[in-house]
Amino acid sequence: MTNATAVVPEGVELTDGFHLLMDALEMNGITNIYGLLGIPVTEIGRMWQARGNKFYSFRNEQNAGYAASVAGYLTKKPGVCVTVSAPGFLNGLTALANATTNCFPMILISGSSEREIVDLQQGDYEEMDQLNIARPHCKASFRINRPEDIGVAVVRAVRTALSGRPGGVYLDIPARLFSTVMSAEEGKKSLWVPVDPAPAQIPAPSAVQRAAELIKNAKKPLILLGKGAAYAQCDADIKALVEETGIPFTPMSMAKGLVSDTHPQCGAAARSMVLQESDVVVLIGARLNWLLSHGKGKTWGNPKKFVQIDIQANEIDSNVQIHAPLVGDVQSCVNALRDALKGMNKPTEWMNAVAERAAGSRAKLATKLSTATPVMNYHNSLGAIRDVLKNYPDITLVNEGANALDNARMVIDQYLPRKRVDTGTWGVMGIGMGSAAAAAVETGKPVVAICGDSAFGFSAMEYETLTRYNLPVTVIVMNNGGIYRGDEASPEHQFSCMLFNPNTRYDQLSIALGGEGVRVNTPEELAKALEDSIKSGKTTIIDAIIDPAAGVESGRIGNLNIVSTIGKK
Ligand code: FYN
Ligand code: ADP
Ligand code: MG
């Protein structure tokens, strides 16, 4: 590749766009990059590795992007994904949009084609106006045109991704910039590290008082924890709020384990009851979106008042009236509330009623989990997994699918914060392998991914990435042979659009891609295979044969399914 003409006197030490970008990322504490290389970014991977950093090279940019976003969620530092132009960028953009929707900090860096050709639509190699296409799908979309601006662009990207509500940022780098040179000394001066990129945002004292009054006067208060609360990494403060107030809590999916699912105040197993009967609900880093039926309707039963802790002011009143908004960062808000609530009367009677209901549900579920069936179903297979995972609380559980997702969420307890990564706000299938890679890399601990066979298929080739990096990931494919169920009748001369080839061997796929593979038919075999795999630390697929008739359409969100009633026999 040729270097652009240097406008520096001869004899002066030079740097270029590649080096400055790497210097800037390193200065900002980035050590892992996730991506997929090719024109014009290939050199980034080689140079990043040569500097002793880690470049995780994927098979599809979407999965590299999911990995970066999960790295962002787990570490509270922006996860970085690098892609080539147009198609590579678009694949990565899905993950960037997903990161933004989930409030995960991420930076997507894509090479792009030459501006003067793209802007005149003259048909450059991989021509696309990436800057503008990215704009509506992330918090900010920046282009760097001069090497001396790389430093400021990276700082701006980091600050934008991390501050306020976290999310995605797109950095567009036209190919030529990478090799454009400038004086190394001037280049060095153009870099800096942002001071306090995610500043605390302190709630107004009057807002704290308003919220505290509402909570103190509640008869049946409830704390609802979301993944924003898990992201905030103030686990001890949140646990203290729960314990000091004696209020029952229930976690959203990825907030499971923020306070242990086995904590005596956990109302997860009494979910319908607490949502319906509570009178004051304290939302902490959770949005009243579709996952919470928008705060209204029969899910919510009794009329109630909401306290909402969120860093994003216009999240308040997004769906229903919020009586006590508490705008600020979770940690500052939670600690301000703790001060204001000191000595409050604990709602003991209500807490006991919730605990009783939860204990009843757990006992009922326990029976289902231990009931043998001729072919494994979701309950007894997940029961076996749960019994193994109990002994490994610091494993990260990645979970995707419909029935595989909803049942695993219900059955598998989480004991520690941020140990569950799933399909998130969009309910995306295909997050599995990218998330598993990032979780293994960023935590340095084993990962177990429970995937429906359909969900796994979205990123199955990425399993090779896991084996290539020797990551201690066990993928359990819940193989029921189809989407939702595996027993749909096929119309004449056609294979049902809801079914997969029943001869698919996911265990053999693993072996073909350099991993370990085992097929299991019973909960006992499953438990043994999982235990062995975790102990071995080897990348493994467990092909778990599930009764094709065991699933239900759309899992537990069947209420969102639309079916035609016209012309059905
Ligand atoms: C929960 N429950 C339990 C336990 N934990 N019972 C016994 N023991 C334990 N440990 C009970 C709980 O009280 C509920 O029963 C039920 O199990 C389900 O609980 P869950 O999973 O918390 O809640 P629910 O109602 O299924 O759904 C809430 C949700 C969640 C919408 C926030 O489902 C979710 O995150 N869904 C994402 C779905 C998705 O994205 N799918 C991907 C697309 S699939 P009751 O109290 O009796 O209600 C494409 O088709
Ligand atoms: P869940 O799906 O678990 O309900 P959501 O993703 O819907 O969670 O909500 C997360 C919320 O948390 C978002 O509204 C986001 O603005 C908020 N949030 C994220 N980080 C923080 C933080 N550090 N402080 C306060 N709010 C935060
Ligand atoms: Mg399936």
Side-chain angles (χ1 to χ4, degrees):
M1 185 169 285
T2 53
N3 285 348
T5 320
V7 284
V8 277
E10 231 172 287
V12 168
E13 197 190 336
L14 298 179
T15 185
D16 65 7
F18 279 122
H19 287 84
L20 285 165
L21 178 63
M22 273 166 234
D23 293 342
L25 291 172
E26 273 177 357
M27 260 180 119
N28 279 280
I30 306 298
T31 51
N32 299 326
I33 296 183
Y34 301 86
L36 204 166
L37 299 166
I39 298 169
V41 296
T42 312
E43 198 67 355
I44 292 182
R46 293 199 191 104
M47 288 170 60
W48 191 248
Q49 286 188 314
R51 288 172 173 229
N53 297 311
K54 294 280 167 39
F55 192 101
Y56 292 94
S57 192
F58 281 67
R59 308 296 291 252
N60 181 299
E61 296 87 349
Q62 198 178 111
N63 305 315
Y66 290 143
S69 72
V70 167
Y73 169 68
L74 294 176
T75 62
K76 254 186 139 183
K77 278 195 303 200
V80 174
C81 175
V82 169
T83 79
V84 303
S85 5
F89 155 79
L90 282 176
N91 286 344
L93 186 61
T94 303
L96 187 71
N98 184 56
T100 307
T101 301
N102 279 307
C103 315
F104 298 163
M106 170 180 169
I107 301 174
L108 175 68
I109 301 176
S110 298
S112 60
S113 303
E114 300 314 332
R115 291 264 42 80
E116 59 277 16
I117 305 180
V118 173
D119 291 348
L120 275 174
Q121 299 180 25
Q122 293 174 311
D124 202 2
Y125 169 73
E126 297 193 342
E127 175 180 299
M128 177 173 272
D129 182 6
Q130 296 168 195
L131 180 78
N132 285 308
I133 287 168
R135 191 154 276 144
H137 303 292
C138 55
K139 287 182 78 178
S141 181
F142 302 124
R143 174 182 293 137
I144 314 175
N145 290 301
R146 304 180 302 177
E148 61 267 37
D149 292 334
I150 288 175
V152 67
V154 168
V155 165
R156 231 157 130 53
V158 168
R159 189 178 281 285
T160 304
L162 290 179
S163 59
R165 170 181 281 175
V169 176
Y170 174 59
L171 268 188
D172 189 80
I173 310 193
R176 193 183 297 148
L177 181 73
F178 287 117
S179 60
T180 303
V181 297
M182 68 179 287
S183 134
E185 197 190 329
E186 289 304 310
K188 201 169 173 193
K189 280 195 222 149
S190 71
L191 306 178
W192 76 90
V193 178
V195 176
D196 196 13
Q201 297 192 21
I202 315 293
S206 59
V208 176
Q209 273 320 311
R210 192 190 295 123
E213 284 311 309
L214 205 55
I215 296 168
K216 278 190 212 159
N217 291 318
K219 299 217 156 41
K220 297 180 172 183
L222 171 68
I223 292 174
L224 214 157
L225 302 172
K227 61 181 173 298
Y231 171 80
Q233 293 196 16
C234 54
D235 314 328
D237 300 319
I238 289 172
K239 183 159 182 262
L241 174 74
V242 166
E243 291 180 345
E244 287 160 9
T245 60
I247 298 175
F249 71 93
T250 190
M252 296 301 287
S253 195
M254 282 179 59
K256 274 169 73 79
L258 173 51
V259 183
S260 173
D261 280 339
T262 54
H263 190 283
Q265 285 169 252
C266 182
R271 186 179 174 87
S272 308
M273 176 191 180
V274 291
L275 294 191
Q276 293 201 349
E277 293 186 18
S278 54
D279 56 358
V280 170
V281 178
V282 185
L283 299 160
I284 308 185
R287 286 170 286 187
L288 284 174
N289 56 13
W290 71 278
L291 289 154
L292 285 171
S293 311
H294 307 282
K296 52 198 170 193
K298 63 180 192 316
T299 306
W300 289 94
N302 294 343
K304 53 208 74 210
K305 294 194 165 161
F306 290 98
V307 174
Q308 184 164 23
I309 295 181
D310 206 291
I311 203 156
Q312 177 82 10
N314 72 350
E315 183 57 41
I316 308 299
D317 289 335
S318 59
N319 284 272
V320 293
Q321 182 177 14
I322 301 299
H323 294 82
L326 212 46
V327 174
D329 71 275
V330 166
Q331 184 166 33
S332 302
C333 292
V334 161
N335 286 329
L337 257 190
R338 285 174 62 202
D339 276 349
L341 290 173
K342 266 212 177 97
M344 86 167 231
N345 291 328
K346 292 185 175 179
T348 310
E349 208 176 308
W350 160 240
M351 184 61 251
N352 290 343
V354 173
E356 195 180 323
R357 172 73 69 96
S361 304
R362 290 177 77 94
K364 244 192 248 162
L365 183 65
T367 310
K368 283 193 194 162
L369 301 185
S370 57
T371 303
T373 47
V375 186
M376 271 197 295
N377 61 21
Y378 287 100
H379 283 119
N380 48 33
S381 57
L382 288 164
I385 297 171
R386 158 169 138 154
D387 289 344
V388 174
L389 293 185
K390 242 184 229 166
N391 302 317
Y392 301 97
D394 62 358
I395 273 182
T396 302
L397 181 74
V398 170
N399 193 194
E400 60 177 339
N403 292 282
L405 176 83
D406 291 346
N407 287 296
R409 184 182 58 246
M410 187 186 341
V411 170
I412 297 180
D413 288 325
Q414 304 292 147
Y415 309 92
L416 296 171
R418 295 171 297 285
K419 293 296 180 189
R420 185 184 156 88
V421 176
D422 65 24
T423 54
T425 302
W426 265 351
V428 188
M429 300 298 112
I431 51 89
M433 299 305 102
S435 304
V441 165
E442 302 292 340
T443 67
K445 306 228 162 86
V447 172
V448 172
I450 301 177
C451 307
D453 50 356
S454 167
F456 175 66
F458 284 71
S459 64
M461 190 63 207
E462 217 60 74
Y463 182 75
E464 188 273 332
T465 305
L466 304 182
T467 62
R468 187 171 6 112
Y469 291 108
N470 228 343
L471 296 174
V473 178
T474 308
V475 180
I476 304 171
V477 180
M478 305 293 270
N479 184 356
N480 70 345
I483 303 174
Y484 304 136
R485 296 168 67 98
D487 63 347
E488 182 139 331
S490 290
E492 225 178 323
H493 308 309
Q494 285 195 61
F495 197 68
S496 163
C497 50
M498 303 302 282
L499 298 183
F500 304 127
N501 188 332
N503 301 320
T504 309
R505 295 289 306 241
Y506 296 102
D507 52 331
Q508 293 184 5
L509 176 74
S510 173
I511 293 162
L513 295 177
E516 306 288 315
V518 46
R519 171 170 271 205
V520 299
N521 289 287
T522 65
E524 294 73 27
E525 287 171 9
L526 175 52
K528 179 171 184 320
L530 178 58
E531 186 83 53
D532 289 350
S533 162
I534 294 171
K535 285 206 175 111
S536 76
K538 291 185 182 155
T539 322
T540 305
I541 291 181
I542 300 175
D543 186 15
I545 302 303
I546 305 292
D547 186 351
V552 294
E553 181 144 332
S554 302
R556 278 186 60 91
I557 53 171
N559 58 312
L560 300 179
N561 206 11
I562 312 286
V563 290
S564 170
T565 53
I566 308 292
K568 287 241 167 109
K569 287 182 198 151

